[in-house]
Amino acid sequence: MTEETPGFEEKPDVPSGATSDDAESKADAPSEEEASAPAGDANETTALTAQLDQARSALDERTGDLQRLQAEYQNYRRRVERDRVTVKEIAVANLLSELLPVLDDVGRAREHGELVGGFKSVAESLETVVAKLGLQQFGKEGEPFDPTVHEALMHSYAPDVTETTCVAILQPGYRIGERTIRPARVAVAEPQPGAAPAAAKEEKTDDEESGGGEEV
């Protein structure tokens, strides 16, 4: 049996040429895996952040594309609706333009008292239908002449007008909404050349009457 020598303790193996202090510092130093762990985590976090930024940029780009497509689609729908309404108005206007001579005949028959019997019922039905389609008649005697809606076929002078006035409606005008299908064909009268306006005459007459009673 081997006897242990009292007073001696086992010490870790120390390489030759190394002191005990070197052995203790080596034992206290962290391993290579422990030293490289924090650096690896930082690199992974940086890579994830870069990927997240790329994903956000891609999402913003796709969102912008979607918004542009939606705006283009809305503009397309409005354009199609506007074109549809325009085409409908043109078609209705063309149809009603072909019916204007018939409406003129109806109007002349009414003026001469010939709109009676079955002809009267047909004429009234026709006028009701064109009115539902939006056809409106315009042009009245006594209204000021407007070259944008009136066509002057006759011209004269009159002492009782102060501006160019429609004194006779030869053919009524027709419109659909703001679109004029046919201007009103009228006879117009202008004030007499050199004649004072009626308002000025009345004012002058009032002044003469008020001054006639004053003593000089």
Side-chain angles (χ1 to χ4, degrees):
M1 181 177 294
T2 305
E3 294 182 358
E4 295 180 359
T5 305
F8 289 94
E9 296 179 359
E10 294 183 358
K11 294 184 178 180
D13 295 336
V14 178
S16 59
T19 62
S20 61
D21 294 336
D22 293 338
E24 293 178 359
S25 61
K26 183 177 180 181
D28 296 336
S31 63
E32 293 181 359
E33 295 180 355
E34 294 176 350
S36 61
D41 293 342
N43 293 335
E44 186 178 357
T45 301
T46 303
L48 291 176
T49 302
Q51 292 178 0
L52 180 59
D53 292 339
Q54 291 178 357
R56 288 175 177 172
S57 299
L59 177 61
D60 294 339
E61 184 177 355
R62 298 298 179 272
T63 302
D65 293 341
L66 180 61
Q67 290 174 346
R68 283 190 294 271
L69 287 175
Q70 186 175 9
E72 292 177 359
Y73 176 68
Q74 294 296 335
N75 292 334
Y76 169 77
R77 288 188 59 186
R78 285 193 291 267
R79 189 164 55 250
V80 169
E81 181 65 20
R82 184 172 61 250
D83 293 344
R84 185 184 67 81
V85 173
T86 302
V87 169
K88 179 180 177 181
E89 290 178 352
I90 293 175
V92 172
N94 292 337
L95 172 62
L96 295 178
S97 296
E98 298 296 329
L99 293 176
L100 294 186
V102 179
L103 296 175
D104 292 336
D105 293 338
V106 170
R108 284 190 289 267
R110 182 179 284 112
E111 291 176 357
H112 292 85
E114 299 175 355
L115 198 63
V116 294
F119 180 43
K120 179 179 180 181
S121 299
V122 173
E124 291 176 350
S125 298
L126 176 62
E127 291 174 339
T128 301
V129 171
V130 297
K132 287 182 178 180
L133 292 175
L135 186 67
Q136 298 175 352
Q137 180 178 312
F138 66 90
K140 295 180 180 180
E141 295 182 5
E143 63 184 9
F145 175 75
D146 183 355
T148 61
V149 295
H150 296 138
E151 180 181 354
L153 300 182
M154 299 178 63
H155 176 269
S156 62
Y157 294 98
D160 57 344
V161 297
T162 59
E163 59 180 342
T164 304
T165 305
C166 301
V167 294
I169 307 299
L170 306 179
Q171 275 187 335
Y174 290 96
R175 66 165 64 98
I176 299 177
E178 300 298 327
R179 181 193 299 269
T180 299
I181 297 180
R182 186 182 74 184
R185 293 164 180 169
V186 300
V188 299
E190 290 184 312
Q192 290 284 357
K201 287 183 179 180
E202 293 178 359
E203 183 178 354
K204 184 176 180 180
T205 303
D206 294 339
D207 292 341
E208 291 176 353
E209 292 178 355
S210 60
E214 295 180 357
E215 296 182 358
V216 180

